[in-house]
Amino acid sequence: MLLSEYIGVEHKDFQQRGILDTFIELDANYYINLYALKNTKVIEFKNSYQKIKTHFANVYKLLNSYIKTNNMAFYKSALKMFNYPEVNELGIGLSQGNYGKGLTSLPIRKGILDVAVDLIKEGNSDSEMFLLIGLLTEGIGVDYISDMISNIIIEDIKEYTKNINMGMFGSPDYKYNRFKKCSCYYIPLDIVDEIPFPKFMYDIDTAVRVNSEIRQYMNNEIGDSFMQASKEEKSNVFVNYLKNKNNYDEITKLMNKYEYEPYDFTKDDVGIVKLIDTYLNIKKINFEKSKLNAKYLSMTIINEFKSLIENTGIIEPFLGKSGKVKEKNCQNMFYIYAKKQFELFNYDLNPECNQGRGPADFKISLGQDDKCIIEVKLLSNKQYLHGIDTQIIEYAKSENCNKLIYYVFDDMEDRDKASERLQQIEQIALQKRNQSYDLNVTVVRVERKLSASIF
């Protein structure tokens, strides 16, 4: 269900107000982009960038005091400030379930502050060094940076949300998300961007690869050995290099020359806009009520979804930025389709349920004793056999469920190889059925059709 329809308005109302619309149960692969925030015209966020600078200036002061006095109380205070749990109310990021962790790991936070301490000891007085944490610490992605930003500007986000609610409903009160058990916060389109793949857009390895000026500079200053080093080695070499203030100033000058281009929602590499367009035009299935059970519902929706995809040639919502079919997009597309079909029934559709043996993709249930587990897998996925031979069986054991469906999205161009893989899957499925598992395999071909009528 869309956030807009969940709170009682239409998707076009969000579009007209420039609000990011997402699916209430899922996190969308967007993040708050610092460059976009710096240039936003949305009035509630006009001081947000300065708040971020002030926040890190205070962290810097605490670390500087720690260095001068060797008093751990200052370091602990800085560590306490440098803690950014995911703002689940926003519905953006890469969370697999209802709740994300954000930038809360103690080892990661200490690692970042320790690097900052080293830089300060070498005479670096730039408190904005914290905005470059992806360059200073290996493994920090833009989703973590977004969590950091959203925590610092949370009051601006709340004010924006209240003002939107006042305009739409005449009351500033927050709407409640019963799926995530938290309030619904809104965010303007012009401060978000896609989470890139790989997500470490700000790490030194990616920065060197995509920024020709930095690449040339590092080649000239450090040499080819830097380019050939591992990501962890690059990070360590880079941090040591930045301890020289002149080097730091030169690198940050090159970084600040980056010209931000706002995310193009008409093109929509993430695919959420295309997903929403598809969702708004989904036709309802007429289920035979006399046959209602979890397996019947599951097979019916799966077969109807298969027909929709194969007969109409819908492809864009399944594609990632690379132009290739993305497994997560297939899962999301199926989920929102199934959710809309079953909303008139007393059912339970859980994405990525987890009972101790890892998360199954979906579980559809009509009660404790009537459940069906669905595992979605791309045929091109190297784990295509592991999914049916091991994963779905482990999920069956953990859920005490015998009704299983292995839903294969055939995205392969090599048809001979695809045929070989499908035969292997069917052989394993037969083995599992002989072991008394009620297991079905359904294959949907995901490819672009010449005709373009969608619904």
Side-chain angles (χ1 to χ4, degrees):
M1 179 179 290
L2 287 175
L3 172 59
S4 55
E5 69 177 319
Y6 177 81
I7 66 172
V9 298
E10 296 184 24
H11 175 62
K12 65 180 181 180
D13 294 318
F14 268 40
Q15 288 180 305
Q16 291 170 355
R17 295 173 182 270
I19 308 169
L20 177 68
D21 205 358
T22 60
F23 290 95
I24 192 74
E25 309 96 329
L26 305 171
D27 274 358
N29 284 18
Y30 298 110
Y31 75 102
I32 299 176
N33 186 299
L34 186 64
Y35 295 100
L37 186 66
K38 186 177 182 179
N39 295 289
T40 183
K41 303 299 182 184
V42 180
I43 189 170
E44 289 88 352
F45 297 94
K46 64 180 182 179
N47 296 319
S48 295
Y49 187 76
Q50 183 58 48
K51 287 183 180 180
I52 294 170
K53 291 176 64 176
T54 300
H55 174 85
F56 287 123
N58 290 332
V59 175
Y60 174 91
K61 289 176 183 177
L62 288 169
L63 292 180
N64 198 34
S65 296
Y66 160 66
I67 292 169
K68 290 180 178 178
T69 64
N70 202 30
N71 186 339
M72 280 298 295
F74 290 114
Y75 183 90
K76 290 179 179 179
S77 294
L79 188 61
K80 186 176 180 180
M81 284 187 67
F82 204 84
N83 184 37
Y84 312 101
E86 180 168 318
V87 180
N88 292 293
E89 292 88 344
L90 287 177
I92 58 175
L94 293 175
S95 300
Q96 294 291 308
N98 284 348
Y99 306 103
K101 294 181 180 179
L103 184 51
T104 57
S105 166
L106 184 59
I108 291 177
R109 289 159 51 217
K110 289 183 69 175
I112 294 169
L113 292 190
D114 289 346
V115 168
V117 166
D118 287 343
L119 293 177
I120 295 170
K121 284 181 177 178
E122 295 296 329
N124 193 315
S125 59
D126 181 17
S127 63
E128 291 187 46
M129 70 175 72
F130 297 102
L131 299 180
L132 303 177
I133 61 171
L135 296 177
L136 303 179
T137 307
E138 196 272 329
I140 299 296
V142 295
D143 52 333
Y144 281 153
I145 296 172
S146 182
D147 292 330
M148 180 180 74
I149 294 171
S150 57
N151 273 269
I152 298 171
I153 65 167
I154 191 64
E155 294 305 318
D156 298 337
I157 294 171
K158 289 180 178 179
E159 181 185 6
Y160 176 75
T161 302
K162 288 180 178 179
N163 290 342
I164 292 295
N165 281 338
M166 178 62 75
M168 291 194 298
F169 306 108
S171 169
D173 296 342
Y174 300 124
K175 301 299 179 180
Y176 183 72
N177 184 339
R178 68 176 183 274
F179 297 98
K180 293 190 172 185
K181 297 181 173 56
C182 62
S183 297
C184 298
Y185 293 165
Y186 315 135
I187 191 166
L189 291 170
D190 78 342
I191 70 170
V192 297
D193 204 341
E194 63 171 325
I195 292 178
F197 183 82
K199 67 178 182 175
F200 306 111
M201 188 183 75
Y202 293 128
D203 71 15
I204 183 57
D205 196 48
T206 309
V208 168
R209 187 172 68 251
V210 303
N211 190 315
S212 59
E213 291 188 52
I214 289 182
R215 181 169 60 250
Q216 185 62 45
Y217 181 79
M218 297 305 289
N219 263 335
N220 293 339
E221 294 296 316
I222 301 179
D224 292 339
S225 59
F226 178 79
M227 300 301 297
Q228 297 168 5
S230 68
K231 286 183 67 174
E232 187 173 356
E233 289 171 339
K234 276 193 181 77
S235 184
N236 292 333
V237 170
F238 188 65
V239 168
N240 287 328
Y241 182 75
L242 290 183
K243 288 180 181 179
N244 180 297
K245 190 175 184 307
N246 290 333
N247 295 340
Y248 178 92
D249 291 342
E250 185 62 29
I251 286 292
T252 52
K253 182 175 73 175
L254 292 175
M255 289 296 296
N256 289 331
K257 289 174 68 175
Y258 167 70
E259 294 184 6
Y260 173 70
E261 294 183 8
Y263 181 70
D264 186 352
F265 280 91
T266 60
K267 183 179 177 184
D268 188 38
D269 289 325
V270 173
I272 299 298
V273 173
K274 299 165 188 171
L275 207 58
I276 290 174
D277 290 342
T278 302
Y279 170 82
L280 292 174
N281 290 283
I282 288 175
K283 293 180 180 178
K284 300 296 285 292
I285 297 172
N286 292 319
F287 296 100
E288 295 184 42
K289 294 185 178 181
S290 61
K291 295 183 179 180
L292 284 185
N293 60 61
K295 189 65 177 284
Y296 165 75
L297 285 173
S298 301
M299 286 304 303
T300 302
I301 189 67
I302 279 175
N303 287 328
E304 289 294 329
F305 187 62
K306 169 183 167 70
S307 297
L308 172 67
I309 302 310
E310 293 184 341
N311 293 336
T312 63
I314 297 173
I315 186 68
E316 283 78 8
F318 297 102
L319 303 178
K321 185 178 181 181
S322 66
K324 296 182 179 180
V325 177
K326 189 176 179 181
E327 192 167 273
K328 187 66 178 179
N329 286 11
C330 294
Q331 294 167 345
N332 286 346
M333 184 71 175
F334 174 72
Y335 176 74
I336 62 132
Y337 187 79
K339 191 76 171 175
K340 192 162 187 177
Q341 296 297 343
F342 294 161
E343 63 189 13
L344 297 179
F345 296 95
N346 182 23
Y347 77 105
D348 183 18
L349 172 63
N350 293 321
E352 296 182 345
C353 53
N354 192 341
Q355 294 296 328
R357 296 175 185 258
D361 288 332
F362 301 99
K363 178 183 71 177
I364 292 176
S365 63
L366 290 172
Q368 184 63 31
D369 299 322
D370 188 8
K371 297 179 287 188
C372 182
I373 288 175
I374 303 170
E375 177 70 6
V376 174
K377 194 73 69 179
L378 283 183
L379 190 57
S380 61
N381 190 322
K382 294 179 180 180
Q383 299 292 312
Y384 71 101
L385 288 181
H386 179 71
I388 188 170
D389 194 28
T390 303
Q391 279 182 285
I392 199 168
I393 302 303
E394 290 297 307
Y395 305 151
K397 293 175 181 177
S398 66
E399 294 284 346
N400 191 26
C401 174
N402 191 49
K403 299 174 181 177
L404 312 172
I405 301 173
Y406 197 54
Y407 203 9
V408 181
F409 284 73
D410 180 358
D411 61 322
M412 297 184 65
E413 294 182 6
D414 187 333
R415 300 316 300 153
D416 290 337
K417 191 172 183 179
S419 178
E420 180 183 342
R421 290 193 173 193
L422 291 173
Q423 288 178 16
Q424 293 173 333
I425 289 172
E426 276 299 339
Q427 288 172 0
I428 295 177
L430 180 60
Q431 294 173 9
K432 302 306 177 185
R433 286 193 285 268
N434 290 336
Q435 296 171 10
S436 300
Y437 287 102
D438 182 3
L439 173 61
N440 288 77
V441 175
T442 300
V443 181
V444 54
R445 180 80 172 113
V446 186
E447 61 179 343
R448 193 180 300 277
K449 300 288 186 181
L450 294 178
S451 59
S453 176
I454 294 182
F455 292 99

